[in-house]
């Protein structure tokens, strides 16, 4: 006896896709605002500034 899954199975045809892969810049445009929002929400900006200052001081020596 097979389980009912709610309807007929749908498969995409190969011709349904226009490119096949997403441009990396599109992925970056999606990920950067989310990363900025999370960094702002959890105090990541101040932590980033502290780390960047430390690196600048180390390089300056």
């Amino acid at each position: 006896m097979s389980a009912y899954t709610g309807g007929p199975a749908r498969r995409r045809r190969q011709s349904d896709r226009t490119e096949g892969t997403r441009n990396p810049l599109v992925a970056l445009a999606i990920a950067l605002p989310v990363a900025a929002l999370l960094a702002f929400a959890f105090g990541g900006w101040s932590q980033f500034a502290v780390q960047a200052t430390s690196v600048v001081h180390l390089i300056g020596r």
Side-chain angles (χ1 to χ4, degrees):
M1 189 184 333
S2 64
Y4 180 69
T5 59
R10 296 182 191 170
R11 293 187 181 181
R12 285 187 174 185
R13 283 180 272 156
Q14 192 69 10
S15 62
D16 287 347
R17 289 192 230 157
T18 56
E19 270 302 306
T21 60
R22 181 176 288 150
N23 190 329
L25 292 178
V26 174
L28 190 64
I30 293 169
L32 278 181
V34 174
L37 179 67
L38 288 173
F40 178 74
F42 294 106
W45 291 124
S46 62
Q47 193 69 354
F48 175 77
V50 169
Q51 289 287 5
T53 305
S54 299
V55 169
V56 167
H57 285 275
L58 284 174
I59 292 174
R61 287 185 175 188

